[in-house]
Short mmCIF file of all heavy atoms in Angstrom, two decimals:
data_model
loop_
_atom_site.label_atom_id
_atom_site.label_comp_id
_atom_site.label_asym_id
_atom_site.label_seq_id
_atom_site.Cartn_x
_atom_site.Cartn_y
_atom_site.Cartn_z
N GLU S 271 -27.66 24.28 4.54
CA GLU S 271 -28.94 24.70 5.14
C GLU S 271 -30.12 23.99 4.48
O GLU S 271 -31.06 23.57 5.15
CB GLU S 271 -29.11 26.23 5.00
CG GLU S 271 -28.11 27.06 5.80
CD GLU S 271 -28.12 26.75 7.29
OE1 GLU S 271 -29.20 26.42 7.84
OE2 GLU S 271 -27.03 26.79 7.92
N PHE S 272 -30.02 23.85 3.19
CA PHE S 272 -31.09 23.21 2.42
C PHE S 272 -31.30 21.76 2.86
O PHE S 272 -32.43 21.30 3.05
CB PHE S 272 -30.71 23.26 0.93
CG PHE S 272 -31.85 23.00 -0.01
CD1 PHE S 272 -32.58 24.06 -0.55
CD2 PHE S 272 -32.20 21.71 -0.39
CE1 PHE S 272 -33.63 23.82 -1.43
CE2 PHE S 272 -33.24 21.47 -1.26
CZ PHE S 272 -33.97 22.53 -1.78
N VAL S 273 -30.20 21.07 3.04
CA VAL S 273 -30.27 19.65 3.44
C VAL S 273 -30.82 19.53 4.87
O VAL S 273 -31.65 18.67 5.15
CB VAL S 273 -28.89 18.98 3.30
CG1 VAL S 273 -28.86 17.62 4.00
CG2 VAL S 273 -28.51 18.83 1.83
N ILE S 274 -30.37 20.41 5.75
CA ILE S 274 -30.86 20.38 7.14
C ILE S 274 -32.36 20.65 7.15
O ILE S 274 -33.13 19.89 7.75
CB ILE S 274 -30.12 21.43 8.01
CG1 ILE S 274 -28.62 21.09 8.11
CG2 ILE S 274 -30.74 21.50 9.40
CD1 ILE S 274 -27.78 22.17 8.77
N LYS S 275 -32.76 21.72 6.48
CA LYS S 275 -34.16 22.16 6.47
C LYS S 275 -35.09 21.08 5.91
O LYS S 275 -36.21 20.90 6.37
CB LYS S 275 -34.28 23.42 5.60
CG LYS S 275 -35.53 24.25 5.86
CD LYS S 275 -35.53 25.49 4.96
CE LYS S 275 -35.74 25.10 3.50
NZ LYS S 275 -35.55 26.22 2.56
N ASN S 276 -34.60 20.32 4.95
CA ASN S 276 -35.45 19.32 4.32
C ASN S 276 -35.30 17.91 4.90
O ASN S 276 -35.68 16.92 4.28
CB ASN S 276 -35.21 19.31 2.81
CG ASN S 276 -35.83 20.53 2.15
OD1 ASN S 276 -37.05 20.64 2.04
ND2 ASN S 276 -34.98 21.48 1.77
N GLY S 277 -34.75 17.87 6.08
CA GLY S 277 -34.80 16.62 6.84
C GLY S 277 -33.68 15.62 6.58
O GLY S 277 -33.69 14.51 7.13
N GLY S 278 -32.71 15.98 5.77
CA GLY S 278 -31.62 15.04 5.45
C GLY S 278 -30.80 14.63 6.66
O GLY S 278 -30.44 13.46 6.82
N VAL S 279 -30.55 15.61 7.54
CA VAL S 279 -29.75 15.32 8.74
C VAL S 279 -30.55 14.47 9.72
O VAL S 279 -30.04 13.47 10.24
CB VAL S 279 -29.25 16.64 9.37
CG1 VAL S 279 -28.68 16.40 10.76
CG2 VAL S 279 -28.20 17.30 8.47
N ASP S 280 -31.80 14.87 9.95
CA ASP S 280 -32.63 14.10 10.89
C ASP S 280 -32.82 12.65 10.43
O ASP S 280 -32.75 11.72 11.23
CB ASP S 280 -34.02 14.76 11.03
CG ASP S 280 -33.91 16.07 11.80
OD1 ASP S 280 -32.88 16.25 12.50
OD2 ASP S 280 -34.81 16.92 11.68
N TYR S 281 -33.06 12.49 9.13
CA TYR S 281 -33.25 11.13 8.61
C TYR S 281 -31.99 10.29 8.84
O TYR S 281 -32.06 9.15 9.32
CB TYR S 281 -33.59 11.18 7.11
CG TYR S 281 -33.67 9.82 6.48
CD1 TYR S 281 -34.75 8.98 6.72
CD2 TYR S 281 -32.63 9.35 5.67
CE1 TYR S 281 -34.82 7.71 6.17
CE2 TYR S 281 -32.69 8.08 5.10
CZ TYR S 281 -33.79 7.27 5.36
OH TYR S 281 -33.85 6.02 4.81
N THR S 282 -30.84 10.86 8.50
CA THR S 282 -29.58 10.12 8.64
C THR S 282 -29.33 9.74 10.11
O THR S 282 -28.90 8.63 10.41
CB THR S 282 -28.41 10.97 8.10
OG1 THR S 282 -28.72 11.33 6.74
CG2 THR S 282 -27.09 10.22 8.15
N LEU S 283 -29.65 10.68 10.99
CA LEU S 283 -29.47 10.41 12.41
C LEU S 283 -30.39 9.27 12.86
O LEU S 283 -29.99 8.42 13.66
CB LEU S 283 -29.77 11.69 13.21
CG LEU S 283 -29.16 11.79 14.60
CD1 LEU S 283 -27.65 11.66 14.56
CD2 LEU S 283 -29.55 13.14 15.24
N SER S 284 -31.58 9.22 12.31
CA SER S 284 -32.51 8.15 12.69
C SER S 284 -31.99 6.79 12.22
O SER S 284 -32.16 5.78 12.92
CB SER S 284 -33.92 8.42 12.15
OG SER S 284 -33.96 8.16 10.75
N ILE S 285 -31.35 6.77 11.07
CA ILE S 285 -30.77 5.51 10.58
C ILE S 285 -29.59 5.10 11.47
O ILE S 285 -29.45 3.93 11.85
CB ILE S 285 -30.28 5.66 9.12
CG1 ILE S 285 -31.44 6.04 8.18
CG2 ILE S 285 -29.62 4.35 8.65
CD1 ILE S 285 -32.44 4.95 7.94
N ALA S 286 -28.77 6.09 11.82
CA ALA S 286 -27.64 5.80 12.70
C ALA S 286 -28.13 5.20 14.01
O ALA S 286 -27.55 4.24 14.54
CB ALA S 286 -26.82 7.07 12.96
#
Side-chain angles (χ1 to χ4, degrees):
Chain S
E271 293 303 326
F272 196 95
V273 167
I274 296 171
K275 200 179 69 189
N276 287 289
V279 168
D280 289 341
Y281 174 74
T282 305
L283 203 57
S284 75
I285 300 289

